[in-house]
Each structure stands twice: as structure tokens, then as C-alpha cells.
Amino acid sequence: MAFDFIIVGGGSAGCVLAARLSENPDVKVLLLEAGGRDRHPFYHLPAGFAKMTKGIGSWGWQTVPQRHMNGMVIRYTQAKVIGGGSSINAQIYTRGHPLDYEEWRQLGCAGWGYEDVLPYFRKAEDNDTHDNRWHGKGGPLGVSQPRAPLPICEAYFAAAAELGIPRNHDLTGETPDGVGYYQLTQRNARRSSASVAYLGMARARANLTVRTGAQVARIVVEKGRAVGVELAGGVVERAAEAVILSSGAIGSPRMLMLSGIGPAEHLQSVGVPVVLDHPGVGSDLQDHLDLFVIAECTGPHTYDRYARPLWSAVAGVQYLLTKRGPVASSLFETGGFWYAEDGARSPDIQFHLGLGSGIEAGVAAMPQGGVTLNSAYLRPRSRGTVRLASADPAAAPLIDPNYWADPHDREMSIRGLKIAREIIAGQALKPYVLAERLPGPQVRTDQDYFDYACRHSKTDHHPAGTCRMGGDAGAVVDPRLRFNGVERLRVVDASVMPRVVSSNTNAATIMIAEKAADMIRADHGA
């Protein structure tokens, strides 16, 4: 079967593109996902997120030792399932600040200002609460209020107010400043992943073929034009119109380099024949580093007890009967945005309140139950890389976020953690919090904070920028997401962000794909 478009990567962006491009019955679309299907219940139950960073649906990759963090190696969860990050994340629906997109426009990304992208955010949404200038109803993506908040969440809001941080009832509205409940990519107390939201309505189309477990070995380039892909085993599928790479900020540059497209010196060093020397591929990696406070609670105020088998069974019954309780919770549905740097143009710290302890891999659990408050500096200046370890497509890539290469990032991250500690120590949380356990009272100086972070920190799972968009010669793709140097090749995912947005990245990735689908249809007459 001949295809018009081949999409490599069935994550958030790939699912959107497959659904939108196949709306035209005359266009034949092939979606290839190296991971598996999303059949397991954990992919659909909101609280299934707690299992995701611990191996389910993940490739099991990690960073290289971080040279500015005492050689720390950080687990780097990358999805291994249809729907990508949207199938395994905490379902937090945030878009970034309007000024993020104005910055994109100022960096040469014409057509990507806030007023340009807002219609695509609204187009994607089926919001259960808001229908106004900032939100939409009737789109594929379920966006909902949390079903299972706990009283400790309200105490968190009150504790933040003690520091002058206001309550915000719509963190994706006109401004994200303040604390509040996040809206979630859920519908009817089930995860609304891109696979469910977009492919669910498109799979039955005769012109759309979806293959999981399909490992692509390389993009086939002939005479400077992408003409198809070679799968593991040597089978070649050809694309009449375009090959679209949507494998994420780690997977997309990795696939380009495996195809001989990237920094020539690096490709030669690992034995990959050079098709096109492009130094920008795999460069400019940006990510949010997450630091956290963990406190022991005075009683069963969070969901920790439900990790035990008996309580887990109780939670399951509660969910089946009421669609509420811990199974209906993303466990990180409360948070907000505030300021670390004086004079920052918009909030530069994001908080996620975890309704438990030990929720994510590598994070300590409290024996008597606890609460977690994550903080992340949102506009890092440090830039890292994605590189190949070898020419073997099965080999894990070398992921180097290069955290804290710029000392400013370290300073702002520590300021954010200090604010998080102040919130946890607030009077409003005294009935719920017995004592802070991490970082603990022994952490007082900036050196103490640095040493703590080098033992207790993690990625916020927001990699971006490795195939950055721009109008300059060093950009990997142009503002229409066409690859600079190879015809009929596009990149559509978080890797094209010239600056990582000041929030979680999934909603912005879906927006990018919605906008890209319109551009692709216009450019190809499809």
C-alpha cells in the first residue's frame, strides 16, 4: 500500500497529525510507533501515572552524568506506548505563558505568537468548565477539573497566601500567576491521552494505518528529499508527499542522526554515514529540573496509605462506584506559578503538590505517609544535547540536559525550593504536616542546597528544543516546520520549541501538531 504521509512516532503530536491528516479520505496516512498499545488499565486510570516513571510504558533511559551536579545520573522517562507522554504523564493541562509565544515570534518564528496559537489550543479542547476567549468546548481533548482533591490542597492554598501568593481559579486563563487546581487531560474520570482523544475517533478510517511495535531504522533520503522510512528488518515504506518526524525532543534528533542527518563530526565518530551535516540537530536541549520538599503528615491526609494492597482494593471499589477517590486522582493536580527572580517578566517557578510521597521513581516515601511539593525553574539558560552512543538503532541515546551549566539556573532553582519550604512550613498546613523530612533542618546554606539537589532532584519530563524552529541559518526547521536541508521532511513535536514553555509541555505539543496539520494540508493541497 502506498502512503501520502508517513508519521514517525505515535506520541502526542503524532496522534494529532494522524487524526487530522486522515480527515481527508483521499489522503493515505501511516503512523508508526515503536512502543506498544495502550491496553493496560494503568494507561487509562488517572492514578496510573504513579506506575509510569517506575518502568511501565518507559524505555528506561537515563541522563549521562551531570557534570555541574556532582556527576548525578537522573532517570529520564520517555514513553514506550502509543500516545507517548500523554499516555503516561500526570495529565496536567497547562500551556505556558502568553509571553512565551511572543518570545517565539521575536526569535524569528513568524506565525507563532500568542494570538496565532490560541485558536489551536481552543480547537483541541473539550473543557468541562470554561468556554471563553481562552478555552474551547467540543474538541477531541478532554480537559477537566480534578475529581479527587483533598482538604490538604485547600490548606496549601492558604499557606501560599501567607507568602502573598494569590489563589488562581484558572491557571490556563488570562494569566497563570498564583496557586490553584490544575485542569487535567481527563474525561469522565479517565485519562484523555492523545491516543484516546484523537486516534479513538480516527482508527476506523480506511485511509489511516496505525502500527505499534514498529521500530524505524532510518529515514530514507534520495537526492536531498525524504522519500520514506526503512523499518528494522529492512522493509521500506515510501511516502509520496512527506515524512513527518514526531518522536519527541529525544527521539526525533536521535532518528535524524541514525539517518545520517546531524553534526557530521559526531556521526562519523559513531560510524554513521553522513547524509547531511546539520550541527543544530540534537543541540539546544532544554528541560525543567525538579527539586522537592517532602514532609511527613500528622495523619492519613494524602493518598499514601492506598499503596498498601488492602487499601488499594478499597480505592478500586470506590472508583468503580463513584469515579472518585485516589484512582481518580492524577496525584499532582494542585500547584501554581510564582516568581523566583526579581523583575521576571512572568512567573518563573512552577509548583506541583503531590498527594503522597514516593510517587515518582527516585523520590523518597514516608513510612507514615507524607506530602510532596515540587518546584521547578521554568526558563533555564543551560543548553544540553542528545547524541548517539553508537550506530545501533537499539542503543539508548546519550541524553545530556546539562543542568545548571549556567549558574543562574542553579540560583533560581534554589530560590524556588526555598519558597516551597516556606509554603510547607506555613501555619495553614500545621494541622496536616508533622515535620519536613527532606531537605531537612540540616540544609541551610546554598552549598547545603546544592549538595541536597545533587542527591534529590529529577527531571520534570519537559525536554524541548533539540530540533528548534527559527528563521536563522542554524535553525533545524523553519516556521512551517519544514526541515532545513532535506525536502519533504518535517519535524512536529516539542523538539521544535525555540524556548521551552514556562509550564508542562503536553498541551503546547498538541497545539503545535494542530497548527502543523493545517500548514501541511495547505502546503500539500491535502
Side-chain angles (χ1 to χ4, degrees):
M1 180 178 182
F3 298 97
D4 296 297
F5 297 99
I6 296 177
I7 303 166
V8 182
S12 294
C15 290
V16 174
L17 289 168
R20 292 304 191 190
L21 294 178
S22 64
E23 287 175 343
N24 182 344
D26 296 327
V27 171
K28 293 181 174 61
V29 179
L30 172 63
L31 175 63
L32 299 170
E33 166 55 40
R37 298 186 64 179
D38 54 349
R39 289 174 171 171
H40 197 287
F42 285 159
Y43 293 124
H44 303 284
L45 301 176
F49 163 73
K51 303 290 186 182
M52 299 306 180
T53 61
K54 299 173 182 176
I56 295 176
S58 170
W59 287 101
W61 295 341
Q62 59 187 20
T63 69
V64 302
Q66 293 301 283
R67 58 187 176 276
H68 303 288
M69 297 189 72
N70 290 344
M72 184 182 190
V73 173
I74 296 176
R75 186 189 299 253
Y76 217 81
T77 300
Q78 292 287 286
K80 189 181 182 181
V81 62
I82 191 76
S86 71
S87 291
I88 68 171
N89 65 10
Q91 302 131 75
I92 296 169
Y93 183 83
T94 58
R95 301 171 174 171
H97 197 278
L99 291 176
D100 292 340
Y101 302 100
E102 290 306 298
E103 185 179 27
W104 288 12
R105 182 179 58 80
Q106 292 163 8
L107 289 168
C109 302
W112 291 90
Y114 183 63
E115 292 301 327
D116 300 309
V117 303
L118 181 58
Y120 291 100
F121 280 118
R122 297 184 73 251
K123 179 181 181 180
E125 267 190 67
D126 184 19
N127 198 294
D128 75 346
T129 303
H130 308 294
D131 185 11
N132 52 35
R133 165 169 159 71
W134 297 283
H135 295 286
K137 288 184 180 289
L141 187 69
V143 178
S144 304
Q145 294 297 114
R147 286 283 190 106
L150 294 172
I152 196 172
C153 300
E154 294 292 332
Y156 158 76
F157 301 146
E162 294 170 18
L163 302 180
I165 304 174
R167 177 76 180 270
N168 187 332
H169 293 278
D170 183 6
L171 292 167
T172 51
E174 185 173 10
T175 175
D177 298 44
V179 294
Y181 292 113
Y182 291 119
Q183 287 202 296
L184 307 169
T185 48
Q186 296 177 6
R187 182 183 281 120
N188 300 324
R190 290 176 62 86
R191 178 191 290 271
S192 182
S193 67
S195 171
V196 170
Y198 283 88
L199 291 187
M201 63 181 183
R203 281 184 183 274
R205 296 173 186 162
N207 62 326
L208 173 61
T209 301
V210 179
R211 297 181 193 164
T212 55
Q215 182 71 56
V216 175
R218 67 183 180 99
I219 298 165
V220 179
V221 178
E222 296 176 355
K223 298 180 180 179
R225 173 179 293 182
V227 297
V229 299
E230 180 182 334
L231 301 175
V235 174
V236 173
E237 298 285 1
R238 300 186 73 86
E241 293 291 334
V243 174
I244 307 169
L245 190 51
S246 296
S247 297
I250 307 302
S252 285
R254 176 175 179 257
M255 178 52 57
L256 287 166
M257 288 185 284
L258 287 170
S259 306
I261 303 168
E265 185 176 351
H266 168 65
L267 298 179
Q268 291 165 350
S269 72
V270 294
V272 175
V274 177
V275 173
L276 175 71
D277 179 17
H278 200 311
V281 172
S283 300
D284 292 306
L285 174 61
Q286 305 155 54
D287 189 24
H288 297 144
L289 181 70
D290 192 80
L291 279 58
F292 48 83
V293 182
I294 299 180
E296 187 173 353
C297 288
T298 58
H301 303 305
T302 63
Y303 286 132
D304 271 351
R305 60 178 170 168
Y306 291 97
R308 302 166 190 162
L310 178 60
W311 281 104
S312 179
V314 171
V317 172
Q318 183 183 11
Y319 177 78
L320 289 173
L321 294 177
T322 68
K323 291 296 185 286
R324 296 186 182 277
V327 178
S329 173
S330 78
L331 306 178
F332 280 102
E333 55 216 19
T334 312
F337 300 90
W338 202 238
Y339 298 83
E341 185 170 18
D342 295 336
R345 52 92 162 162
S346 60
D348 56 1
I349 292 291
Q350 183 174 11
F351 300 114
H352 295 93
L353 185 72
L355 299 180
S357 60
I359 297 172
E360 297 187 68
V363 179
M366 296 293 102
Q368 304 304 317
V371 64
T372 304
L373 184 56
N374 297 341
S375 69
Y377 178 55
L378 294 174
R379 289 192 289 280
R381 298 177 181 178
S382 302
R383 297 292 182 267
T385 57
V386 176
R387 294 290 182 253
L388 300 178
S390 75
D392 181 2
L398 302 177
I399 303 169
D400 184 8
N402 204 19
Y403 296 124
W404 290 1
D406 191 310
H408 182 266
D409 297 349
R410 170 177 163 175
E411 180 183 355
M412 294 304 109
S413 295
I414 289 174
R415 285 190 192 180
L417 181 58
K418 289 177 178 178
I419 297 170
R421 293 185 79 180
E422 289 185 73
I423 294 173
I424 288 294
Q427 287 298 315
L429 278 165
K430 292 295 185 187
Y432 300 91
V433 171
L434 178 64
E436 178 196 287
R437 299 304 185 199
L438 289 173
Q442 73 281 3
V443 174
R444 294 184 296 273
T445 68
D446 280 357
Q447 183 63 45
D448 293 338
Y449 276 97
F450 172 74
D451 292 339
Y452 168 76
C454 293
R455 297 189 306 272
H456 301 282
S457 58
K458 63 181 185 63
T459 173
D460 239 353
H461 315 290
H462 301 159
T466 49
C467 297
R468 73 168 178 87
M469 164 175 51
D472 60 291
V476 176
V477 296
D478 70 11
R480 296 190 74 79
L481 307 188
R482 297 172 296 203
F483 191 90
N484 289 326
V486 179
E487 294 181 21
R488 295 194 179 182
L489 175 63
R490 294 186 190 243
V491 184
V492 181
D493 54 35
S495 72
V496 306
M497 295 182 184
R499 296 287 186 275
V500 63
V501 293
S502 304
S503 73
N504 309 78
T505 52
N506 187 56
T509 300
I510 289 172
M511 173 278 293
I512 288 169
E514 284 276 17
K515 182 172 171 60
D518 274 3
M519 293 190 293
I520 291 167
R521 285 185 289 213
D523 290 351
H524 290 269

